[in-house]
Amino acid sequence: MTGSPRLFPESLWTPLKMSPFCCWGLCVAFLALLCCPGSGEEAFEVHVSPEQPMVKHGGSQVINCSTNCTKPENGGLETSLDKIVLQDSPQWKLFMIFNVSQNSSMRCFFWCSRKQGSKSLNVGLYYPPKQVLLKLQPTRVAVGSPFTIECRVPSVAPLEGLTVTLLRGSEVLHSQTFEGTALSPQEAMVTYSAEAQLEDSSHNFSCQAKMDLRTRGVKVVDSVSDSQALEVFEPVQDNWMVIIVVVSVLLLFVTSVLLCFVFGQQGNQRRRGIYRVQAAWMRLRGTHPAQPA
C-alpha cells in the first residue's frame, strides 16, 4: 500500500544499515567474552608471611595469611601441626603453630567469588647453638712454641648463618662462617694454631657461636663457651730445672761414695779387731796367725 510503513526491507538480501561505532562495540564485547569468560568474578591473590619460616625444635611460630580480595567468603590455614587463631579479619588471619617437632608443609587459602586461592609454605626446624666447647692444647707452653685452639658446637642446624669466633679477651683471633642448608643436627668445629706470647698468659681464651637466621624470620641466637687460661713460660726456666736436677744427681752420687767409704772403713776396723783377737788366742797356744789381707 502506498504510504504505509515497511516492517521488513524490500528484500531479505538487502543488508541493514549500521553505524561503524556500533560494529566496533560489538567486536570489543565479543573479545571480552572470549578472553574473560568469568569477568564477573573477582581475580585475587593469597599471601603468607613469613614465606619460609624456621622454628626452633619444639617451639612456635606466628603465620599471617592474607588476601587482596575485598570481600572474601572464607579463609584458613591447613596444617597437621597444632595451631590457634590469634586474630581474625575478613582479609587476613593470624595463626600460631606450636609444639613443632618436625619439618612440615602447610597451606593458606581464601574463597572469593566462589573461587579458591591458596599459597603453600614449608616450615623447617632449626637447632640453636646451646653448647659451645673450647679446648686449648697444650695448656702450658713455652714462649714461641705453637699451641692450638679448638672450638666445637655440637647438635646445631642449619649451618647456614652460623659464625664461630675465637677470642683472646675481647680480641678476635679467628672467625669462620659456615654454609649448608641441611636441617639435621650436626657438629661444627673450628681449629686455630698460633705461637705463644708472654701476654697470652694475661688473657682468657673463649669461643662464641652466633646463628643469624633473620632472613628466615628468626632472631639472632648466640652462645659463649667457658673461658680458659693459657700458661706461658720462658724457656730459661727449663734450663734452671735441668741444672737443679743435675746438681741433685751429683749430690746423690757424692753422698753414695762417702757412705761406701765410711762403711768400708768400718769393715776394715772390724776385720782388724778380729785379727787381734785371733792373734792373742794363737799366742796363748804357741802358734802365729796368718796376716790379714
Side-chain angles (χ1 to χ4, degrees):
M1 292 180 58
T2 303
S4 61
R6 290 179 179 173
L7 299 176
F8 299 96
E10 295 180 355
S11 172
L12 295 176
W13 300 102
T14 302
L16 295 173
K17 295 181 179 181
M18 300 181 63
S19 170
F21 296 102
C22 182
C23 292
W24 279 108
L26 290 175
C27 291
V28 172
F30 181 71
L31 290 175
L33 290 174
L34 289 178
C35 297
C36 306
S39 58
E41 298 179 358
E42 183 180 4
F44 71 101
E45 296 178 350
V46 175
H47 305 280
V48 61
S49 177
E51 295 183 352
Q52 294 181 328
M54 296 286 293
V55 184
K56 180 181 176 181
H57 184 266
S60 59
Q61 175 68 45
V62 175
I63 303 294
N64 185 7
C65 298
S66 61
T67 179
N68 61 350
C69 176
T70 56
K71 295 181 179 180
E73 300 159 4
N74 193 10
L77 176 66
E78 290 183 351
T79 176
S80 60
L81 301 173
D82 297 332
K83 67 176 181 180
I84 58 174
V85 180
L86 298 179
Q87 295 183 23
D88 191 0
S89 75
Q91 288 186 284
W92 58 268
K93 298 180 183 297
L94 207 61
F95 299 91
M96 174 180 282
I97 56 175
F98 53 95
N99 294 333
V100 182
S101 59
Q102 60 183 358
N103 303 318
S104 59
S105 59
M106 58 186 65
R107 188 175 71 98
C108 287
F109 68 91
F110 283 92
W111 285 90
C112 184
S113 300
R114 299 181 181 180
K115 290 184 64 177
Q116 188 187 70
S118 63
K119 181 78 172 182
S120 298
L121 66 152
N122 295 320
V123 177
L125 294 179
Y126 75 91
Y127 296 78
K130 292 183 178 180
Q131 190 178 25
V132 182
L133 305 175
L134 179 69
K135 181 179 180 182
L136 297 179
Q137 190 174 4
T139 57
R140 185 175 185 272
V141 63
V143 174
S145 298
F147 70 99
T148 301
I149 308 173
E150 178 184 282
C151 181
R152 295 190 299 110
V153 186
S155 300
V156 61
L159 294 182
E160 170 193 1
L162 177 67
T163 300
V164 177
T165 304
L166 302 178
L167 301 169
R168 184 182 65 174
S170 59
E171 176 190 359
V172 175
L173 292 178
H174 180 70
S175 183
Q176 180 175 342
T177 299
F178 291 81
E179 296 180 356
T181 57
L183 299 180
S184 56
Q186 51 193 304
E187 181 179 81
M189 185 172 69
V190 174
T191 57
Y192 177 76
S193 297
E195 290 186 356
Q197 305 297 327
L198 279 177
E199 56 267 24
D200 290 337
S201 295
S202 59
H203 298 281
N204 287 328
F205 292 83
S206 61
C207 177
Q208 180 188 51
K210 179 182 293 186
M211 177 177 282
D212 188 351
L213 295 175
R214 286 177 292 182
T215 57
R216 307 290 294 272
V218 179
K219 296 180 180 179
V220 176
V221 182
D222 63 348
S223 184
V224 182
S225 70
D226 293 334
S227 298
Q228 293 188 22
L230 180 68
E231 184 181 354
V232 182
F233 59 89
E234 296 270 9
V236 68
Q237 295 177 353
D238 280 355
N239 295 336
W240 280 110
M241 292 297 295
V242 171
I243 293 174
I244 292 173
V245 171
V246 171
V247 171
S248 300
V249 173
L250 289 176
L251 289 176
L252 181 62
F253 175 74
V254 172
T255 303
S256 301
V257 171
L258 292 175
L259 289 175
C260 290
F261 176 77
V262 171
F263 289 145
Q265 291 298 322
Q266 291 179 353
N268 291 334
Q269 293 177 0
R270 189 179 298 111
R271 285 194 296 271
R272 290 192 184 95
I274 295 173
Y275 169 75
R276 293 191 186 96
V277 172
Q278 290 178 348
W281 174 254
M282 295 300 292
R283 279 195 296 270
L284 292 175
R285 299 182 59 182
T287 60
H288 296 279
Q291 294 291 335

